Amino acid sequence: MSAPKKNPNKKNSDIAKEPTTDYEKATDFSIDNEEEMHPILVQLLEKALKESEQGLGIPHEEVMLRIKEKFPFLK
């Protein structure tokens, strides 16, 4: 008995394709737009931005190293 042959005319029809959409980048983001955000969220964002400007926090590279050490099966 021989193995079934693949149809050479079939071109990856099983691949899911995401529709192409143009996304616009909003460059006018401002924390001053308090109408759409909860006041506590605004305060937390302001605090986070101040801490970031002061150099507080952990760099991205260090966080990724810690995650790879803790979860070596993730890549």
Side-chain angles (χ1 to χ4, degrees), residues 1-44:
M1 214 177 211
S2 62
K5 295 182 180 180
K6 292 184 179 180
N7 186 353
N9 295 331
K10 186 178 177 184
K11 293 185 178 183
N12 296 331
S13 63
D14 296 336
I15 295 176
K17 294 181 181 178
E18 184 175 341
T20 56
T21 307
D22 293 332
Y23 295 101
E24 291 186 20
K25 228 182 202 182
T27 57
D28 58 343
F29 175 76
S30 175
I31 292 180
D32 297 334
N33 193 358
E34 296 178 19
E35 298 172 343
E36 298 177 12
M37 292 191 286
H38 194 277
I40 295 175
L41 176 61
V42 173
Q43 291 174 355
L44 290 172

Short mmCIF file of all heavy atoms in Angstrom, two decimals, residues 1-44:
data_model
loop_
_atom_site.label_atom_id
_atom_site.label_comp_id
_atom_site.label_asym_id
_atom_site.label_seq_id
_atom_site.Cartn_x
_atom_site.Cartn_y
_atom_site.Cartn_z
N MET A 1 0.83 -1.18 0.00
CA MET A 1 0.00 0.00 0.00
C MET A 1 0.88 1.25 0.00
O MET A 1 1.85 1.32 0.73
CB MET A 1 -0.86 -0.03 1.25
CG MET A 1 -2.20 0.55 1.07
SD MET A 1 -3.13 0.39 2.59
CE MET A 1 -4.67 0.26 1.84
N SER A 2 0.57 2.22 -0.80
CA SER A 2 1.39 3.43 -0.87
C SER A 2 0.71 4.57 -0.11
O SER A 2 -0.50 4.60 0.06
CB SER A 2 1.62 3.83 -2.33
OG SER A 2 0.38 4.13 -2.92
N ALA A 3 1.53 5.50 0.31
CA ALA A 3 1.02 6.67 1.05
C ALA A 3 0.27 7.59 0.10
O ALA A 3 0.64 7.71 -1.07
CB ALA A 3 2.18 7.41 1.70
N PRO A 4 -0.78 8.24 0.58
CA PRO A 4 -1.51 9.16 -0.29
C PRO A 4 -0.64 10.35 -0.67
O PRO A 4 0.17 10.84 0.12
CB PRO A 4 -2.71 9.60 0.56
CG PRO A 4 -2.35 9.29 1.96
CD PRO A 4 -1.36 8.17 1.92
N LYS A 5 -0.78 10.78 -1.90
CA LYS A 5 0.02 11.90 -2.38
C LYS A 5 -0.70 13.22 -2.11
O LYS A 5 -1.92 13.29 -2.17
CB LYS A 5 0.28 11.75 -3.88
CG LYS A 5 1.13 10.56 -4.21
CD LYS A 5 1.40 10.48 -5.67
CE LYS A 5 2.25 9.26 -5.97
NZ LYS A 5 2.53 9.14 -7.39
N LYS A 6 0.11 14.22 -1.82
CA LYS A 6 -0.46 15.54 -1.58
C LYS A 6 -0.82 16.20 -2.90
O LYS A 6 -0.14 16.01 -3.91
CB LYS A 6 0.53 16.43 -0.82
CG LYS A 6 0.77 15.98 0.59
CD LYS A 6 1.67 16.94 1.31
CE LYS A 6 1.89 16.51 2.74
NZ LYS A 6 2.76 17.42 3.46
N ASN A 7 -1.83 16.98 -2.88
CA ASN A 7 -2.26 17.71 -4.07
C ASN A 7 -1.34 18.92 -4.26
O ASN A 7 -1.35 19.84 -3.43
CB ASN A 7 -3.71 18.15 -3.90
CG ASN A 7 -4.27 18.78 -5.15
OD1 ASN A 7 -3.55 19.01 -6.13
ND2 ASN A 7 -5.55 19.06 -5.15
N PRO A 8 -0.55 18.98 -5.31
CA PRO A 8 0.38 20.10 -5.49
C PRO A 8 -0.34 21.41 -5.82
O PRO A 8 0.24 22.48 -5.70
CB PRO A 8 1.27 19.66 -6.65
CG PRO A 8 0.44 18.66 -7.40
CD PRO A 8 -0.43 18.00 -6.38
N ASN A 9 -1.60 21.34 -6.23
CA ASN A 9 -2.34 22.56 -6.57
C ASN A 9 -2.93 23.26 -5.34
O ASN A 9 -3.36 24.39 -5.42
CB ASN A 9 -3.46 22.24 -7.55
CG ASN A 9 -2.92 21.75 -8.88
OD1 ASN A 9 -1.82 22.12 -9.26
ND2 ASN A 9 -3.66 20.91 -9.55
N LYS A 10 -2.96 22.56 -4.23
CA LYS A 10 -3.51 23.14 -3.01
C LYS A 10 -2.43 23.98 -2.34
O LYS A 10 -1.38 23.48 -1.97
CB LYS A 10 -3.97 22.02 -2.07
CG LYS A 10 -4.67 22.49 -0.85
CD LYS A 10 -5.13 21.30 -0.02
CE LYS A 10 -5.79 21.77 1.25
NZ LYS A 10 -6.15 20.65 2.11
N LYS A 11 -2.67 25.27 -2.19
CA LYS A 11 -1.64 26.17 -1.66
C LYS A 11 -2.04 26.70 -0.29
O LYS A 11 -2.67 27.75 -0.18
CB LYS A 11 -1.42 27.35 -2.60
CG LYS A 11 -0.81 26.97 -3.92
CD LYS A 11 -0.51 28.18 -4.74
CE LYS A 11 0.16 27.80 -6.03
NZ LYS A 11 0.52 28.96 -6.83
N ASN A 12 -1.71 25.98 0.75
CA ASN A 12 -1.92 26.40 2.14
C ASN A 12 -3.29 27.02 2.37
O ASN A 12 -3.42 28.11 2.91
CB ASN A 12 -0.82 27.37 2.57
CG ASN A 12 0.53 26.71 2.59
OD1 ASN A 12 0.63 25.51 2.80
ND2 ASN A 12 1.58 27.47 2.37
N SER A 13 -4.32 26.36 1.96
CA SER A 13 -5.66 26.92 2.15
C SER A 13 -6.11 26.82 3.60
O SER A 13 -7.10 27.41 3.98
CB SER A 13 -6.66 26.19 1.25
OG SER A 13 -6.73 24.83 1.62
N ASP A 14 -5.35 26.07 4.42
CA ASP A 14 -5.71 25.93 5.83
C ASP A 14 -5.15 27.05 6.70
O ASP A 14 -5.45 27.10 7.89
CB ASP A 14 -5.19 24.58 6.36
CG ASP A 14 -5.86 23.41 5.65
OD1 ASP A 14 -6.98 23.61 5.14
OD2 ASP A 14 -5.28 22.33 5.63
N ILE A 15 -4.37 27.92 6.15
CA ILE A 15 -3.75 28.99 6.93
C ILE A 15 -4.79 30.09 7.18
O ILE A 15 -5.44 30.57 6.27
CB ILE A 15 -2.54 29.58 6.19
CG1 ILE A 15 -1.44 28.52 6.06
CG2 ILE A 15 -2.00 30.80 6.93
CD1 ILE A 15 -0.26 28.98 5.26
N ALA A 16 -4.90 30.47 8.46
CA ALA A 16 -5.81 31.57 8.82
C ALA A 16 -5.14 32.89 8.46
O ALA A 16 -3.97 33.09 8.75
CB ALA A 16 -6.13 31.53 10.31
N LYS A 17 -5.88 33.76 7.86
CA LYS A 17 -5.33 35.04 7.44
C LYS A 17 -6.05 36.16 8.16
O LYS A 17 -7.28 36.19 8.20
CB LYS A 17 -5.46 35.22 5.94
CG LYS A 17 -4.63 34.24 5.15
CD LYS A 17 -4.76 34.46 3.68
CE LYS A 17 -3.93 33.44 2.92
NZ LYS A 17 -4.07 33.60 1.49
N GLU A 18 -5.29 37.06 8.72
CA GLU A 18 -5.86 38.22 9.39
C GLU A 18 -6.17 39.28 8.35
O GLU A 18 -5.34 39.55 7.47
CB GLU A 18 -4.88 38.78 10.42
CG GLU A 18 -5.44 39.92 11.21
CD GLU A 18 -4.49 40.38 12.29
OE1 GLU A 18 -3.59 39.63 12.66
OE2 GLU A 18 -4.65 41.51 12.75
N PRO A 19 -7.34 39.88 8.42
CA PRO A 19 -7.65 40.92 7.44
C PRO A 19 -6.71 42.12 7.61
O PRO A 19 -6.33 42.46 8.73
CB PRO A 19 -9.10 41.30 7.76
CG PRO A 19 -9.32 40.84 9.14
CD PRO A 19 -8.40 39.68 9.38
N THR A 20 -6.33 42.68 6.51
CA THR A 20 -5.44 43.83 6.58
C THR A 20 -6.26 45.07 6.91
O THR A 20 -7.29 45.35 6.30
CB THR A 20 -4.71 44.04 5.24
OG1 THR A 20 -5.68 44.16 4.21
CG2 THR A 20 -3.78 42.88 4.95
N THR A 21 -5.81 45.79 7.91
CA THR A 21 -6.48 46.99 8.36
C THR A 21 -5.43 48.05 8.63
O THR A 21 -4.39 47.75 9.21
CB THR A 21 -7.27 46.72 9.66
OG1 THR A 21 -8.13 45.61 9.44
CG2 THR A 21 -8.09 47.91 10.06
N ASP A 22 -5.70 49.25 8.23
CA ASP A 22 -4.79 50.34 8.52
C ASP A 22 -5.17 50.94 9.86
O ASP A 22 -6.29 51.40 10.06
CB ASP A 22 -4.86 51.41 7.44
CG ASP A 22 -4.33 50.91 6.11
OD1 ASP A 22 -3.47 50.01 6.14
OD2 ASP A 22 -4.76 51.41 5.06
N TYR A 23 -4.22 50.91 10.79
CA TYR A 23 -4.44 51.49 12.10
C TYR A 23 -3.71 52.82 12.17
O TYR A 23 -2.56 52.92 11.75
CB TYR A 23 -3.92 50.57 13.20
CG TYR A 23 -4.65 49.26 13.28
CD1 TYR A 23 -4.12 48.10 12.73
CD2 TYR A 23 -5.88 49.18 13.90
CE1 TYR A 23 -4.79 46.90 12.81
CE2 TYR A 23 -6.57 47.99 13.97
CZ TYR A 23 -6.02 46.85 13.43
OH TYR A 23 -6.69 45.68 13.51
N GLU A 24 -4.38 53.80 12.70
CA GLU A 24 -3.74 55.11 12.85
C GLU A 24 -3.18 55.22 14.25
O GLU A 24 -3.81 54.85 15.23
CB GLU A 24 -4.75 56.23 12.59
CG GLU A 24 -5.18 56.30 11.16
CD GLU A 24 -6.07 57.50 10.92
OE1 GLU A 24 -6.06 58.45 11.72
OE2 GLU A 24 -6.81 57.48 9.93
N LYS A 25 -1.99 55.76 14.32
CA LYS A 25 -1.34 55.97 15.60
C LYS A 25 -1.79 57.31 16.16
O LYS A 25 -1.68 58.33 15.50
CB LYS A 25 0.17 55.99 15.41
CG LYS A 25 0.92 55.15 16.35
CD LYS A 25 2.38 55.30 16.08
CE LYS A 25 3.12 54.11 16.61
NZ LYS A 25 4.53 54.22 16.42
N ALA A 26 -2.28 57.28 17.37
CA ALA A 26 -2.70 58.53 18.00
C ALA A 26 -1.48 59.16 18.67
O ALA A 26 -0.93 58.61 19.62
CB ALA A 26 -3.79 58.27 19.03
N THR A 27 -1.04 60.27 18.16
CA THR A 27 0.13 60.93 18.73
C THR A 27 -0.27 62.05 19.68
O THR A 27 0.58 62.65 20.31
CB THR A 27 1.00 61.53 17.61
OG1 THR A 27 0.19 62.42 16.84
CG2 THR A 27 1.56 60.45 16.73
N ASP A 28 -1.56 62.31 19.79
CA ASP A 28 -2.00 63.41 20.63
C ASP A 28 -2.50 62.92 21.98
O ASP A 28 -3.37 63.53 22.59
CB ASP A 28 -3.09 64.22 19.92
CG ASP A 28 -4.29 63.36 19.54
OD1 ASP A 28 -4.15 62.13 19.53
OD2 ASP A 28 -5.35 63.94 19.27
N PHE A 29 -1.94 61.79 22.49
CA PHE A 29 -2.35 61.28 23.79
C PHE A 29 -1.93 62.25 24.87
O PHE A 29 -0.82 62.74 24.90
CB PHE A 29 -1.72 59.91 24.06
CG PHE A 29 -2.02 59.41 25.44
CD1 PHE A 29 -3.27 58.90 25.74
CD2 PHE A 29 -1.07 59.47 26.43
CE1 PHE A 29 -3.55 58.44 27.00
CE2 PHE A 29 -1.35 59.02 27.70
CZ PHE A 29 -2.60 58.50 27.98
N SER A 30 -2.83 62.52 25.76
CA SER A 30 -2.55 63.43 26.85
C SER A 30 -3.29 62.96 28.09
O SER A 30 -4.44 62.53 28.02
CB SER A 30 -2.98 64.85 26.49
OG SER A 30 -2.82 65.69 27.60
N ILE A 31 -2.65 63.08 29.24
CA ILE A 31 -3.30 62.70 30.49
C ILE A 31 -4.34 63.74 30.87
O ILE A 31 -5.22 63.49 31.68
CB ILE A 31 -2.24 62.53 31.60
CG1 ILE A 31 -1.38 61.32 31.27
CG2 ILE A 31 -2.89 62.34 32.95
CD1 ILE A 31 -0.31 61.03 32.28
N ASP A 32 -4.29 64.90 30.26
CA ASP A 32 -5.23 65.96 30.59
C ASP A 32 -6.65 65.62 30.15
O ASP A 32 -7.60 66.29 30.57
CB ASP A 32 -4.80 67.27 29.92
CG ASP A 32 -3.45 67.74 30.45
OD1 ASP A 32 -3.11 67.39 31.59
OD2 ASP A 32 -2.77 68.46 29.72
N ASN A 33 -6.81 64.60 29.35
CA ASN A 33 -8.13 64.22 28.87
C ASN A 33 -8.85 63.38 29.94
O ASN A 33 -9.03 62.20 29.80
CB ASN A 33 -8.00 63.44 27.56
CG ASN A 33 -9.32 63.29 26.86
OD1 ASN A 33 -10.35 63.74 27.35
ND2 ASN A 33 -9.29 62.65 25.72
N GLU A 34 -9.25 64.02 31.03
CA GLU A 34 -9.82 63.33 32.17
C GLU A 34 -11.27 62.92 31.95
O GLU A 34 -11.83 62.18 32.75
CB GLU A 34 -9.70 64.20 33.42
CG GLU A 34 -8.27 64.47 33.79
CD GLU A 34 -8.15 65.38 35.01
OE1 GLU A 34 -9.13 65.50 35.74
OE2 GLU A 34 -7.08 65.95 35.20
N GLU A 35 -11.91 63.41 30.91
CA GLU A 35 -13.30 63.05 30.66
C GLU A 35 -13.46 61.57 30.37
O GLU A 35 -14.43 60.95 30.78
CB GLU A 35 -13.84 63.84 29.47
CG GLU A 35 -13.84 65.33 29.69
CD GLU A 35 -14.21 66.06 28.42
OE1 GLU A 35 -14.15 65.47 27.33
OE2 GLU A 35 -14.56 67.24 28.54
N GLU A 36 -12.49 60.99 29.71
CA GLU A 36 -12.60 59.60 29.29
C GLU A 36 -11.97 58.64 30.28
O GLU A 36 -12.23 57.45 30.23
CB GLU A 36 -11.94 59.43 27.92
CG GLU A 36 -12.60 60.24 26.84
CD GLU A 36 -11.90 60.12 25.53
OE1 GLU A 36 -11.03 59.24 25.39
OE2 GLU A 36 -12.20 60.91 24.63
N MET A 37 -11.13 59.13 31.18
CA MET A 37 -10.44 58.26 32.13
C MET A 37 -10.93 58.53 33.55
O MET A 37 -11.24 59.66 33.91
CB MET A 37 -8.94 58.47 32.05
CG MET A 37 -8.34 57.99 30.75
SD MET A 37 -6.56 57.96 30.77
CE MET A 37 -6.17 59.68 30.67
N HIS A 38 -10.94 57.47 34.34
CA HIS A 38 -11.32 57.59 35.74
C HIS A 38 -10.25 58.42 36.45
O HIS A 38 -9.06 58.32 36.16
CB HIS A 38 -11.42 56.19 36.35
CG HIS A 38 -12.11 56.17 37.66
ND1 HIS A 38 -11.47 56.45 38.84
CD2 HIS A 38 -13.40 55.90 37.97
CE1 HIS A 38 -12.33 56.35 39.83
NE2 HIS A 38 -13.51 56.02 39.34
N PRO A 39 -10.65 59.26 37.41
CA PRO A 39 -9.68 60.12 38.11
C PRO A 39 -8.55 59.35 38.79
O PRO A 39 -7.41 59.80 38.81
CB PRO A 39 -10.53 60.85 39.15
CG PRO A 39 -11.92 60.77 38.65
CD PRO A 39 -12.02 59.54 37.83
N ILE A 40 -8.84 58.17 39.31
CA ILE A 40 -7.78 57.38 39.95
C ILE A 40 -6.78 56.89 38.92
O ILE A 40 -5.57 56.89 39.17
CB ILE A 40 -8.40 56.20 40.74
CG1 ILE A 40 -9.23 56.75 41.89
CG2 ILE A 40 -7.32 55.25 41.24
CD1 ILE A 40 -10.00 55.70 42.67
N LEU A 41 -7.26 56.52 37.75
CA LEU A 41 -6.37 56.10 36.67
C LEU A 41 -5.45 57.24 36.27
O LEU A 41 -4.25 57.05 36.04
CB LEU A 41 -7.17 55.61 35.47
CG LEU A 41 -6.36 55.22 34.23
CD1 LEU A 41 -5.41 54.08 34.55
CD2 LEU A 41 -7.29 54.85 33.10
N VAL A 42 -5.98 58.45 36.19
CA VAL A 42 -5.17 59.63 35.83
C VAL A 42 -4.08 59.83 36.87
O VAL A 42 -2.91 60.06 36.52
CB VAL A 42 -6.07 60.87 35.71
CG1 VAL A 42 -5.22 62.12 35.53
CG2 VAL A 42 -7.05 60.72 34.57
N GLN A 43 -4.42 59.70 38.15
CA GLN A 43 -3.42 59.87 39.21
C GLN A 43 -2.34 58.80 39.13
O GLN A 43 -1.15 59.09 39.27
CB GLN A 43 -4.09 59.81 40.58
CG GLN A 43 -4.98 60.99 40.88
CD GLN A 43 -5.74 60.81 42.19
OE1 GLN A 43 -5.66 59.76 42.83
NE2 GLN A 43 -6.48 61.85 42.58
N LEU A 44 -2.74 57.56 38.87
CA LEU A 44 -1.76 56.48 38.77
C LEU A 44 -0.84 56.67 37.57
O LEU A 44 0.37 56.41 37.65
CB LEU A 44 -2.47 55.14 38.67
CG LEU A 44 -3.18 54.66 39.94
CD1 LEU A 44 -4.01 53.43 39.66
CD2 LEU A 44 -2.16 54.38 41.03
#
